[in-house]
Amino acid sequence: MDEGKARAAGDPGTSGAVPHPAAGSADGSPEPAAPGLPAEPRREAPAPAAPGTSPAPEPAPVPLHAPDPYGTPPYGRPGPWAPAPPVQRPVVTPPHGTHVPPTPPPYAASQAEVQPGVTPAQGTALPAYPQPQSGVCDPSVPAAPLPYACAQPGVTPAQGTALPAEAHAPAAAPAGPWQYDPWAAGTRVPESGEATGGGKGGPTRRRIVTGAVAVALVAGAVGGGIGAALERDGGMTPQVRLPQSAADKGDRAPGSIAGIAARALPGVVTIHVSGGGEQGTGTGFVLDKQGHILTNNHVVQPAGSGGSISVTFNGGQTAKATLVGRDGGYDLAVIKVTGVSGLTPLALGNSDSVRVGDSVVAIGAPFDLAGTVTTGIISAKERPITAGGKKQDGSDVSYVDALQTDAPINPGNSGGPLMDSEARVIGINSAIRSAGESEGGGQGGSIGLGFAIPVNQAKRVAEELINTGRATHPVIGVSLDMGYTGDGARVNADGAKGAGVTSGGPADKAGIRPQDVIKKVDGVPVHSGRELIVKVRSHRPGDGLELTVERDGREQSVRLTLGSASAG
């Protein structure tokens, strides 16, 4: 081992402090420098003062290097070797509230070993030496006998500077909010709940808990929001998003199907009837603000005179209704609701203005599906049809000179409006022809053959039912042979069933006789007795007709004015 390493290890037989070269040998000559290090310059002793004169002040030593804030020896010189400080073994912290006596600092032993007049080990704390009273650092002032009077406190002086033998007090630890040293002497253990920081605003347990709770709440809210967003978007798995146009909430053109339906639906109702062991569903529409509703006679017929009629409006409001009047020959009836506000009557058109091919809209409750809208065209006009006929006397048979349409009409549509492109009622949906059924029977579905009572006829009948409770029928004053199979309508012969021509009636006045065959009405051929009835009932009492009559193989034309008969 070389000499430098031996010095670093220290000699166990010595105190561990290496004499400073400034101490010199016994004869005053300088000690040789350590191997590998430059020799220390020789310091000359000051010359003795002349007798009778004051000695000149000793000049202050000039440091070889600028003051080092880290307290290390001058660069290039070996420092004073000192043994390592003793190992500090902490003891158990005493119970809360126990007074801890002051203990000497752990580095007191190493300080006690510092020899006076020798530079201490690197890093040893130095006491603050007194400064001149004048407050001016002047090494030439005699009042400061020490040559290091101007040395900076806390910094190791230059190599060779003599030090006094003084007690060294440990430096006080700086005060701070979290600088609590349980091993320092004189340190007081904080009381429970006492702020450990210095000054005002030190954190307390309550503030710490409050902050932690706030952080937890914010984190939970953020996490919940992120989780909800991921759940809505399908989690982390990529989701397919298809392009779609924005919702169009604008109104449709008034003449469009949607525009017609929007205006008409508030005035259309669904009718439920029960009585006499029967029940049924149909449709109707509002005629006026007084609550009158028009529908088919066969819709309300189960109610009779003691049944129940319930009306449900398009908005869901329900009300009880009473029967105002009905007529089986026209298959029309009027009912009325009371105590209902905000009614929307539908506008009535003119069926005489209808042309084949015109667009129409049918609204009703087929199979109790309220508010169903279908559309089609007028397929034909003045289509003679009969409906009913379940009674033996034929009192339930209705004769209609109908409008034919291909708009889908099904059971439950009966009594609903057939509307033109201006949202005006031009007919009352009344009958259909289904596949596989005979005329006038069955409960089949639509095959595009629907029939509606012209609104001109319905308007007259509805007015009479509202005003008088009865409807009048136009008549010509004859009885017909319904079993006749020839072309036309033959007048009955006088016999057990009565006279063929009513005495004094319109036909009698026009010169029609029994057994005459009526071939045309206003130039339109009729092929049966039912067609003649339909044509006559399509007019009002008092209207004039021109009939073409065949008698004894010859045809002649006669004119008459229709009479009136009340429905029985």
Side-chain angles (χ1 to χ4, degrees):
M1 180 182 298
D2 58 59
E3 184 179 0
K5 292 183 179 179
R7 288 185 180 182
D11 187 356
T14 65
S15 64
V18 179
H20 197 279
S25 60
D27 57 0
S29 61
E31 232 177 293
L37 297 175
E40 178 75 10
R42 180 186 180 92
R43 286 187 174 86
E44 298 293 338
T53 63
S54 300
E58 184 178 357
V62 179
L64 297 179
H65 299 278
D68 185 4
Y70 299 98
T72 59
Y75 295 98
R77 299 292 181 182
W81 311 109
V87 178
Q88 302 180 19
R89 302 185 182 277
V91 296
V92 179
T93 303
H96 176 71
T98 304
H99 176 71
V100 181
T103 57
Y107 43 80
S110 61
Q111 284 187 346
E113 294 176 1
V114 177
Q115 298 181 7
V118 179
T119 302
Q122 179 180 357
T124 304
L126 299 180
Y129 294 101
Q131 299 293 326
Q133 296 179 356
S134 61
V136 179
C137 182
D138 187 0
S140 64
V141 179
L146 299 178
Y148 49 86
C150 294
Q152 297 182 8
V155 179
T156 304
Q159 181 178 3
T161 304
L163 301 176
E166 294 186 15
H168 298 278
W178 297 103
Q179 296 178 358
Y180 163 62
D181 185 3
W183 311 108
T187 303
R188 185 174 62 87
V189 178
E191 297 294 336
S192 176
E194 182 181 353
T196 57
K200 297 180 180 179
T204 61
R205 179 175 299 178
R206 178 178 299 174
R207 293 179 181 175
I208 295 174
V209 172
T210 302
V213 171
V215 170
L217 290 175
V218 172
V222 172
I226 294 175
L230 291 176
E231 179 68 19
R232 182 185 65 246
D233 296 337
M236 303 302 293
T237 305
Q239 300 294 312
V240 175
R241 293 290 182 268
L242 300 177
Q244 185 181 24
S245 62
D248 181 9
K249 298 182 179 180
D251 294 335
R252 297 296 185 264
S256 66
I257 305 302
I260 296 170
R263 286 186 285 172
L265 280 170
V268 180
V269 300
T270 301
I271 302 173
H272 294 89
V273 180
S274 61
E278 297 182 68
Q279 59 183 8
T281 301
T283 309
F285 62 92
V286 180
L287 291 173
D288 54 29
K289 293 285 188 178
Q290 287 70 41
H292 292 108
I293 295 172
L294 183 63
T295 186
N296 284 136
N297 175 65
H298 71 264
V299 170
V300 299
Q301 188 173 359
S305 58
S308 172
I309 304 174
S310 175
V311 172
T312 302
F313 292 86
N314 187 64
Q317 184 179 7
T318 301
K320 292 293 184 180
T322 57
L323 180 63
V324 176
R326 62 192 183 96
D327 186 272
Y330 290 113
D331 194 20
L332 292 171
V334 174
I335 59 177
K336 184 178 181 180
V337 294
T338 56
V340 179
S341 60
L343 296 176
T344 306
L346 298 188
L348 303 182
N350 192 316
S351 53
D352 290 341
S353 301
V354 175
R355 299 293 182 267
V356 174
D358 284 351
S359 297
V360 291
V361 174
I363 303 178
F367 300 101
D368 207 11
L369 299 175
T372 299
V373 177
T374 58
T375 183
I377 64 170
I378 294 295
S379 304
K381 292 179 61 177
E382 300 178 351
R383 184 75 74 189
I385 65 167
T386 58
K390 295 182 180 180
K391 294 184 177 181
Q392 294 295 328
D393 58 0
S395 59
D396 62 335
V397 176
S398 60
Y399 301 89
V400 180
D401 197 21
L403 299 172
Q404 180 180 332
T405 179
D406 66 348
I409 297 174
N410 291 283
N413 275 102
S414 295
L418 184 68
M419 314 191 75
D420 63 10
S421 59
E422 300 295 327
R424 298 173 301 195
V425 180
I426 58 173
I428 293 81
N429 301 318
S430 299
I432 62 172
R433 182 67 181 266
S434 298
E437 72 169 3
S438 60
E439 184 177 352
Q443 270 267 44
S446 173
I447 59 172
L449 295 174
F451 304 96
I453 301 171
V455 72
N456 290 10
Q457 180 177 334
K459 175 179 177 295
R460 178 184 68 84
V461 174
E463 290 173 344
E464 291 181 348
L465 292 176
I466 292 172
N467 294 327
T468 67
R470 287 177 171 271
T472 59
H473 298 176
V475 295
I476 61 175
V478 298
S479 65
L480 299 176
D481 182 4
M482 303 303 292
Y484 178 68
T485 59
D487 188 41
R490 188 172 69 178
V491 179
N492 273 326
D494 293 335
K497 295 183 178 180
V501 177
T502 304
S503 177
D508 185 33
K509 293 178 180 178
I512 296 177
R513 301 176 182 178
Q515 299 294 304
D516 283 351
V517 177
I518 301 173
K519 306 285 287 185
K520 297 178 182 179
V521 176
D522 288 337
V524 177
V526 293
H527 305 287
S528 66
R530 279 189 291 184
E531 287 189 19
L532 177 61
I533 296 173
V534 168
K535 293 298 181 182
V536 171
R537 288 195 177 179
S538 64
H539 294 80
R540 294 172 177 269
D543 290 347
L545 294 180
E546 182 179 350
L547 303 179
T548 299
V549 179
E550 181 184 73
R551 182 185 302 156
D552 299 330
R554 296 184 346 183
E555 292 185 355
Q556 59 179 344
S557 296
V558 296
R559 294 195 62 84
L560 56 79
T561 299
L562 293 175
S564 174
S566 296

